[in-house]
Amino acid sequence: MGASQSRSDNGQVVFRSETPVQFSPDVVEQLSERQVSATPTPERQSTLDEHVRTRIQNEVKHLRKAEEEIQQEIRLALEKENLDREKAMAGQVSDEHGAGAGSVKSSAALMGDLEEIRSKIDRFQTRRSLANYPGLKASQEALVSCYKTHPTSSLDCWKEIANFKNSVAQLEKDYFKTLQ
């Protein structure tokens, strides 16, 4: 009994079996396929896919934030540039009229500029409007509808595309006739 206390025990116990362990051929084949196979298991693949999706989403968020910061910096720089230009223009106008530096245009001049801009916008909107061209509007709506009904096979809309192109070509011919 005293001999067991003087022996060093390293925590390992080894059992020796006199009966050989045998595995079925299916188990051996499955284990060898897992070692040879370069593709991960479906569970592992879904985990990898989720990890990749998460990293992509995080990177997209980071890029959007960086884009917003850059756009803000651009906006601020443009505002500063416009203010500097306006101050320079105001200085030139005041020098021409003998007024003190830093004076700006009168409210009547600003209202005139505003009305001019409004009229330009109105002219642009009327030119842009398709209400005067019902054939073009109808072919455009048919094309958009076709694209919406065939989102994955846009080549099925070839007839609508041809009709739209013909409508645009006809509109261009009519426009050039009015210029002559």
Side-chain angles (χ1 to χ4, degrees):
M1 280 203 229
S4 67
Q5 291 177 350
S6 61
R7 242 188 338 167
S8 65
D9 188 10
N10 61 0
Q12 280 188 333
V13 178
V14 178
F15 294 100
R16 305 232 189 264
S17 172
E18 306 223 357
T19 325
V21 178
Q22 294 182 351
F23 296 102
S24 71
D26 292 335
V27 171
V28 172
E29 184 178 327
Q30 184 180 7
L31 290 174
S32 66
E33 282 179 5
R34 280 193 181 170
Q35 286 181 340
V36 174
S37 175
T39 59
T41 63
E43 298 85 20
R44 175 79 175 136
Q45 185 64 41
S46 66
T47 304
L48 289 172
D49 290 347
E50 184 62 32
H51 180 68
V52 169
R53 270 190 229 104
T54 304
R55 289 190 63 188
I56 288 173
Q57 289 172 351
N58 290 339
E59 187 63 25
V60 166
K61 287 177 186 176
H62 174 71
L63 290 174
R64 284 188 179 145
K65 184 178 179 184
E67 179 185 18
E68 288 175 7
E69 290 172 358
I70 290 171
Q71 286 179 348
Q72 182 65 23
E73 289 175 11
I74 291 171
R75 251 186 254 118
L76 293 173
L78 288 175
E79 286 176 9
K80 184 181 182 311
E81 184 180 321
N82 287 340
L83 286 174
D84 292 345
R85 190 178 306 139
E86 287 176 7
K87 287 179 183 177
M89 287 176 54
Q92 289 174 355
V93 170
S94 64
D95 290 343
E96 291 173 5
H97 296 296
S103 66
V104 292
K105 291 183 177 182
S106 68
S107 60
L110 290 175
M111 287 303 287
D113 290 348
L114 185 61
E115 287 301 319
E116 181 182 344
I117 291 171
R118 282 186 184 150
S119 66
K120 286 180 181 179
I121 290 173
D122 290 341
R123 282 189 303 220
F124 176 75
Q125 292 294 347
T126 55
R127 272 191 280 152
R128 199 169 156 238
S129 172
L130 297 178
N132 300 335
Y133 311 105
L136 181 65
K137 181 129 177 92
S139 63
Q140 177 192 21
E141 288 173 355
L143 181 60
V144 169
S145 173
C146 183
Y147 279 146
K148 286 181 179 178
T149 56
H150 301 93
T152 57
S153 57
S154 58
L155 293 177
D156 292 341
C157 300
W158 65 272
K159 289 179 185 176
E160 288 80 4
I161 293 170
N163 288 340
F164 182 71
K165 284 183 178 180
N166 291 336
S167 298
V168 170
Q170 184 61 41
L171 181 63
E172 287 174 347
K173 286 180 186 176
D174 294 344
Y175 177 73
F176 287 123
K177 283 181 184 177
T178 61
L179 293 178
Q180 295 176 355

